[in-house]
């Protein structure tokens, strides 16, 4: 049995230290907005390269708070448009529509699977206020051209860094610090995962940071003073303590992912599969290892029959979902092709290289 990802094994890599950290919080009697959050916010800001980190309840909320803060700050208003890749996880788009903003879907490139920057300018209109850039699968999605378009048209660049903790752009800056603000998820399966839900916003914009912090704490910027109708969306001390342990090992854990990915790139050899363009190691946090296969469902069943777990990211694109039925008639052929052909192979900080070899030899015999 080779699971897609064993969270038990992932936690086990640093199990003693995590248990010790959780015990410390349990024994402290202080469970919210305490020393663990403070430490995490400092260390994560240093890691990402931003002035501020604001912990919150999950990655979806992190993205919601960024857009909501821009609305409260008067930078955006409901009805404004946000350009977003059509092939993202639904949360990126939910964060836009949740705020009454309008997602403008843009196709990815079939080779990189990331936003096709050559299509963006044609989508920019008088109502466009931002690009929501997703580093999908852990791969760098930022390009010079995207940065230049944001400057030319005065657009905010908001990164969805839920899948890319530890991914660098070619100039050495880390994803999560490339734009005006970034949403991060610490869902257990992510590269930096908690033992439950967690998220954060990173930014170097002081006003945005202050507004996000208030929104995620009932709208309060000062105890019992409420500037906004916010919500309770905080990162709890136990999760922050777990993240404080796991952040120390993130680079090391990602190195193992790179070793796995390089083995896949070097050894997968089957005419019915295509691998996404290979990036320099630093520019891919290898959250997932997507392959494209014209006989995807057959391949998934074959691997499953041999005891290998795989997952499709994602089988139904957002514009084909029931919740966005008004877009169901739209056509995004590249996005739809990825949805029909994508299969994510086992990868993670705890998978053994013998297991990776086994997956490769099974696929090469398919
Ligand atoms: C996981 C994920 C999110 C949402 O994060 P949660 O913590 O699960 O709410 C958002 N965007 C992308 C691309 C994700 O993969």
């Amino acid at each position: 049995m080779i699971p897609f990802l064993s969270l038990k094994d992932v936690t086990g890599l640093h199990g003693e230290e995590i248990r010790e950290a959780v015990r410390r919080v349990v024994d402290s009697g202080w469970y919210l907005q305490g020393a663990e959050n403070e430490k995490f916010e400092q260390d994560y800001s240093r890691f990402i390269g931003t002035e501020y980190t604001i912990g919150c309840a999950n990655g979806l909320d992190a993205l919601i708070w960024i857009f909501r803060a821009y609305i409260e700050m008067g930078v955006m208003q409901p009805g404004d448009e946000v350009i977003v890749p059509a092939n993202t996880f639904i949360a990126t788009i939910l964060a836009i529509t949740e705020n009454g903003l309008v997602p403008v879907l843009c196709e990815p490139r079939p080779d990189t699977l990331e936003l096709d920057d050559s299509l963006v300018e044609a989508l920019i209109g008088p109502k466009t206020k931002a690009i929501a850039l997703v580093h999908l699968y852990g791969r760098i999605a930022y390009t010079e051209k995207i940065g230049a378009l944001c400057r030319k048209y005065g657009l905010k660049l908001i990164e969805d860094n839920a899948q890319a903790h530890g991914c660098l752009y070619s100039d050495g800056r880390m994803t999560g610090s490339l734009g005006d603000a970034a949403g991060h998820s610490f869902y257990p399966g992510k590269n930096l995962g908690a033992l439950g839900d967690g998220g954060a916003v990173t930014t170097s914009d002081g006003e945005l940071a202050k507004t996000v912090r208030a929104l995620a704490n009932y709208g309060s910027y000062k105890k019992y003073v409420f500037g906004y109708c916010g919500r309770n969306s905080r990162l709890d001390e136990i999760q922050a303590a777990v993240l404080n342990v796991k952040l120390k090992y993130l680079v090391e854990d990602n190195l193992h992912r790179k070793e796995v990915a390089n083995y896949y790139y070097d050894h997968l050899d089957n005419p019915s599969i295509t691998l996404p363009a290979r990036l320099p190691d630093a520019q891919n946090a290898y959250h997932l290892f997507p392959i494209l296969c014209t006989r995807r469902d057959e391949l998934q069943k074959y691997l499953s029959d041999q005891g290998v777990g795989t997952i499709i990211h994602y089988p139904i694109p957002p514009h084909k979902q029931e919740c966005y039925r008004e877009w169901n008639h739209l056509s995004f052929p590249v996005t739809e092709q990825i949805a029909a052909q994508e299969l994510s192979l086992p990868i993670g900080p705890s998978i053994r290289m013998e297991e990776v070899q086994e997956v490769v030899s099974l696929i090469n015999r398919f």
Side-chain angles (χ1 to χ4, degrees):
M1 233 343 250
I2 303 175
F4 173 71
L5 178 71
S6 165
L7 286 175
K8 193 177 158 82
D9 291 351
V10 172
T11 303
L13 287 176
H14 317 294
E16 262 321 302
E17 228 179 307
I18 290 171
R19 275 188 290 276
E20 178 50 40
V22 170
R23 182 194 306 274
R24 194 170 63 232
V25 176
V26 171
D27 291 346
S28 76
W30 194 281
Y31 307 120
L32 284 164
Q33 297 182 298
E36 298 292 346
N37 263 269
E38 213 166 288
K39 177 172 169 49
F40 179 69
E41 293 190 354
Q42 268 172 21
D43 291 354
Y44 199 62
S45 298
R46 193 171 312 127
F47 178 77
I48 295 292
T50 52
E51 298 237 1
Y52 309 99
T53 295
I54 304 99
C56 65
N58 55 65
L60 172 59
D61 274 4
L63 293 164
I64 287 175
W65 297 136
I66 293 169
F67 290 111
R68 173 76 188 278
Y70 278 129
I71 290 174
E72 297 292 350
M73 289 160 64
V75 173
M76 298 178 193
Q77 53 183 23
D80 284 343
E81 294 174 359
V82 179
I83 295 170
V84 60
N87 64 323
T88 186
F89 178 58
I90 196 92
T92 326
I93 296 174
L94 288 174
I96 298 168
T97 55
E98 169 86 12
N99 280 294
L101 297 163
V102 179
V104 175
L105 304 179
C106 181
E107 286 267 59
R109 281 170 55 138
D111 56 344
T112 65
L113 314 179
E114 307 299 324
L115 186 71
D116 187 341
D117 63 4
S118 72
L119 303 176
V120 172
E121 191 161 19
L123 300 175
I124 297 174
K127 291 197 156 192
T128 311
K129 289 290 162 63
I131 297 176
L133 188 63
V134 185
H135 305 293
L136 198 68
Y137 307 120
R139 302 168 57 87
I140 188 78
Y142 182 83
T143 63
E144 273 306 299
K145 184 162 191 171
I146 290 170
L149 286 172
C150 287
R151 286 189 294 274
K152 179 172 172 188
Y153 293 97
L155 308 179
K156 295 293 180 194
L157 181 62
I158 295 155
E159 297 174 82
D160 180 339
N161 203 48
Q163 301 193 357
H165 318 86
C167 173
L168 298 173
Y169 180 53
S170 57
D171 64 3
R173 283 181 300 156
M174 196 158 274
T175 60
S177 74
L178 304 175
D180 296 283
H184 306 252
S185 165
F186 308 122
Y187 176 83
K190 302 286 160 84
N191 285 35
L192 180 60
L195 301 186
D197 278 315
V201 172
T202 55
T203 182
S204 291
D205 177 336
E207 192 189 351
L208 183 74
K210 210 174 143 208
T211 311
V212 165
R213 190 177 294 286
L215 286 167
N217 189 35
Y218 312 106
S220 170
Y221 51 85
K222 194 174 148 198
K223 195 151 186 158
Y224 299 129
V225 180
F226 303 93
Y228 316 101
C229 298
R231 273 203 286 116
N232 177 352
S233 168
R234 300 179 298 211
L235 181 66
D236 67 68
E237 285 285 284
I238 289 184
Q239 299 308 336
V242 171
L243 292 169
N244 280 326
V245 173
K246 293 188 75 179
L247 180 57
K248 290 196 291 179
Y249 300 105
L250 177 59
V251 169
E252 180 185 320
D253 287 349
N254 279 354
L255 276 178
H256 185 72
R257 291 177 182 271
K258 292 178 207 285
E259 193 186 340
V260 173
N262 282 318
Y263 191 89
Y264 280 140
Y265 269 115
D266 291 339
H267 296 93
L268 279 173
D269 180 20
N270 185 310
S272 67
I273 71 166
T274 312
L275 303 183
R278 196 168 181 170
L279 294 165
D281 254 356
Q283 296 175 38
N284 197 336
Y286 291 112
H287 172 56
L288 297 168
F289 194 90
I291 66 172
L292 300 177
C293 178
T294 44
R295 296 151 62 209
R296 190 262 318 272
D297 294 347
E298 219 183 304
L299 175 60
Q300 185 173 39
K301 177 162 191 317
Y302 161 82
L303 289 170
S304 162
D305 289 346
Q306 308 285 333
V308 175
T310 57
I311 297 184
I312 298 165
H313 296 95
Y314 298 92
I316 308 171
H319 72 280
K320 294 291 184 192
Q321 295 290 350
E322 217 181 308
C323 63
Y324 292 125
R325 53 184 73 73
E326 66 274 28
W327 305 331
N328 287 176
H329 67 282
L330 298 177
S331 160
F332 293 96
V334 179
T335 297
E336 286 158 32
Q337 183 175 330
I338 294 170
Q341 298 189 354
E342 196 276 346
L343 191 66
S344 297
L345 303 183
I347 192 166
S350 66
I351 188 172
R352 288 179 294 111
M353 290 314 289
E354 303 85 73
E355 296 178 308
V356 180
Q357 288 159 11
E358 176 65 17
V359 173
V360 167
S361 82
L362 283 168
I363 293 176
N364 288 353
R365 280 183 273 131
F366 170 65

